[in-house]
Amino acid sequence: MSTTRALLPLALGLALGGAVAATERPEPLIVRASPLVAPCVEASASAYAARAVRIDASAGQNAADVLVAADVEVTRALEAGMALLDSDVDVARIPWVLQVPAGNPSRIAGLDDALARGLEVVLPKDPAAYEARRMTAGRGDRLREASDPRELRSAPIALVPLSLAGAGDRIPTALRPLQVRAVVLAGSKQAEAARAFPRFLGTEPGQRALAA
């Protein structure tokens, strides 16, 4: 057999191996996002070109790479050793608004007015809504909590972060904005790659995507 014919299988194998390697894609980053901020994180993930990102609100500690949530949740994860120190990034401050029907037919002046008039106000059932619950505690018997974002968006009157507001008018409130942070989880199997996503969220392109 000639030298040329003997090298053909080797050359073919190398070519196929190179083709397989060229088509391989790195594992997507799994991001556990709080329901209160998930819409913003999904917008940012779609603009992140470095790696595929999958948003999974129910991903467990050892299944997710990054946590994006309210400050209180990220702090808890860091203090419990569930997240990597020095990997957290301040991402956004999302204002709380009172969502009312388009045109505000009931002429609701704000949260205090809605509570004083005994109107039903729906608010998130979420750890990050602690201050909202504290501010409204004992001020109305028609307050109702909901954990489904779709229910919050469709509620006639809802006290929500702007990221969860549905159709209709949004009235500003005196509540402190929701402070959002991102952190790499200790159980991540690709921690070095995961660190880049929180950093991206803090950049100008990441901020534009969040705002969208």
Side-chain angles (χ1 to χ4, degrees), residues 1-11:
M1 185 169 58
S2 69
T3 303
T4 302
R5 291 181 61 192
L7 291 176
L8 280 176
L10 177 60

Side-chain angles (χ1 to χ4, degrees), residues 60-204:
Q61 165 66 18
N62 294 322
D65 300 295
V66 176
L67 170 67
V68 184
D71 178 71
V72 62
E73 296 175 77
V74 172
T75 299
R76 187 182 304 154
L78 286 165
E79 291 177 346
M82 298 167 59
L84 300 181
L85 296 175
D86 301 324
S87 69
D88 58 310
V89 174
D90 289 334
V91 171
R93 291 170 60 84
I94 304 177
W96 287 81
V97 297
L98 189 69
Q99 168 186 293
V100 299
N104 194 5
S106 298
R107 297 295 182 265
I108 299 170
L111 178 60
D112 289 342
D113 182 35
L115 294 172
R117 290 160 62 176
L119 301 174
E120 182 179 76
V121 177
V122 184
L123 64 157
K125 187 176 183 179
D126 188 280
Y130 166 78
E131 188 174 349
R133 291 194 299 272
R134 184 182 63 81
M135 186 174 182
T136 56
R139 298 180 60 195
D141 57 3
R142 300 199 64 196
L143 286 168
R144 181 166 62 84
E145 291 185 331
S147 54
D148 187 342
R150 293 170 298 184
E151 185 176 355
L152 290 163
R153 289 193 188 96
S154 63
I157 306 175
L159 178 61
V160 290
L162 185 58
S163 53
L164 278 188
D169 293 353
R170 293 88 179 266
I171 303 173
T173 73
L175 276 170
R176 284 188 304 176
L178 184 69
Q179 181 68 45
V180 182
R181 293 163 68 195
V183 69
V184 177
L185 292 171
S188 172
K189 296 178 177 60
Q190 43 186 350
E192 287 307 311
R195 286 177 181 271
F197 186 66
R199 288 197 296 265
F200 167 75
L201 295 179
T203 65
E204 185 176 343

